[in-house]
Amino acid sequence: MIKKSNLWWMGMVSVFLLAGCASTVHFEKDDTADFRKYKTFAWLDKDGEGRHDRNRNNDLMEQKIKDAISTEMEKTAGWREVKNRPDVLLSYDVLVERTTKEVTNPVYSRPFTRVVFNPYTRRYTTIYYPSQFMGYDRDREPIREGTVTITMIDARTDKTVWQGWTTEEVDNRNMTSREIQLAVRSIFKKFDIAKK
């Protein structure tokens, strides 16, 4: 019985620790938009295809991002991608920038020992003094943060009806496809709440 209880508590602590590590998602929504009437979507091409397409160097990454968003649109919202007359136009933006974060480290005193003479036993005794917590040392360290933003525009009115974004720390100059998939998934968890 004790082992089951300990396992349950360890499981709960793990859930809370993982939830604390999850990135925060923000969203803005047009309260006048009726999301029940939206059933289809298409991609908005900002700078056109062909020779002047600025995204040609990132075609593979662009396709992975679009696939991740399309999958979530179909799974979470139940919408489907169409070529003609979509209800909503989709756009995305991925930005990686340098910034700093505050790092807090606990500071402890050094443990030490002291040799004292005990007059009652006429012997020397060693007393151990353990380290003591003294406070926190605050510092700033450079990091890279990646932000994924997804925008939905009503195709008829050309108004933005929903925008969600999340920012998390990344290791590289570009976000990996795994990091983008996790970001898109977490954004669409909020979209499921917002569209109701």
Side-chain angles (χ1 to χ4, degrees):
M1 189 71 167
I2 294 172
K3 287 184 180 179
K4 284 185 180 178
S5 175
N6 286 343
L7 284 174
W8 185 82
W9 277 109
M10 286 172 52
M12 289 303 292
V13 168
S14 300
V15 166
F16 284 117
L17 285 174
L18 287 172
C21 295
S23 57
T24 306
V25 176
H26 307 277
F27 71 90
E28 290 293 330
K29 168 188 164 184
D30 181 357
D31 293 327
T32 63
D34 183 8
F35 282 84
R36 291 173 295 180
K37 70 179 182 179
Y38 300 137
K39 303 290 180 203
T40 58
F41 68 93
W43 286 97
L44 181 67
D45 192 358
K46 295 177 186 170
D47 47 72
E49 294 181 5
R51 286 188 336 169
H52 303 293
D53 188 355
R54 290 180 298 174
N55 297 323
R56 279 173 61 194
N57 295 337
N58 294 326
D59 279 348
L60 183 61
M61 185 55 73
E62 183 175 345
Q63 192 56 49
K64 287 187 176 184
I65 295 168
K66 284 184 174 181
D67 288 345
I69 295 171
S70 295
T71 300
E72 290 298 322
M73 286 293 292
E74 291 165 4
K75 188 171 78 175
T76 305
W79 300 359
R80 62 187 172 79
E81 186 173 359
V82 296
K83 298 289 182 196
N84 298 322
R85 298 185 170 217
D87 299 323
V88 170
L89 296 171
L90 287 183
S91 174
Y92 73 89
D93 189 37
V94 177
L95 174 68
V96 177
E97 59 187 350
R98 291 177 189 224
T99 184
T100 59
K101 76 171 180 179
E102 188 174 286
V103 180
T104 306
N105 296 312
V107 178
Y108 294 92
S109 64
R110 292 181 120 190
F112 64 95
T113 57
R114 188 184 231 175
V115 178
V116 292
F117 179 72
N118 186 338
Y120 297 108
T121 61
R122 296 184 185 265
R123 292 187 174 169
Y124 286 95
T125 306
T126 303
I127 300 175
Y128 175 74
Y129 294 91
S131 62
Q132 301 282 322
F133 175 70
M134 299 178 69
Y136 290 98
D137 184 23
R138 288 179 171 77
D139 197 10
R140 298 195 82 75
E141 70 177 30
I143 60 165
R144 282 191 168 98
E145 281 187 340
T147 303
V148 176
T149 306
I150 301 170
T151 305
M152 297 180 187
I153 301 164
D154 188 304
R156 286 185 304 109
T157 63
D158 207 28
K159 281 175 53 179
T160 300
V161 291
W162 190 86
Q163 189 172 55
W165 66 96
T166 185
T167 302
E168 59 188 45
E169 191 176 330
V170 295
D171 295 328
N172 302 312
R173 284 181 18 196
N174 296 318
M175 291 181 77
T176 65
S177 56
R178 175 88 176 127
E179 289 168 336
I180 287 171
Q181 282 179 343
L182 291 173
V184 167
R185 214 171 286 149
S186 58
I187 289 171
F188 273 96
K189 284 180 184 170
K190 290 286 186 177
F191 176 68
D192 199 31
I193 298 165
K195 71 185 175 68
K196 292 176 182 175

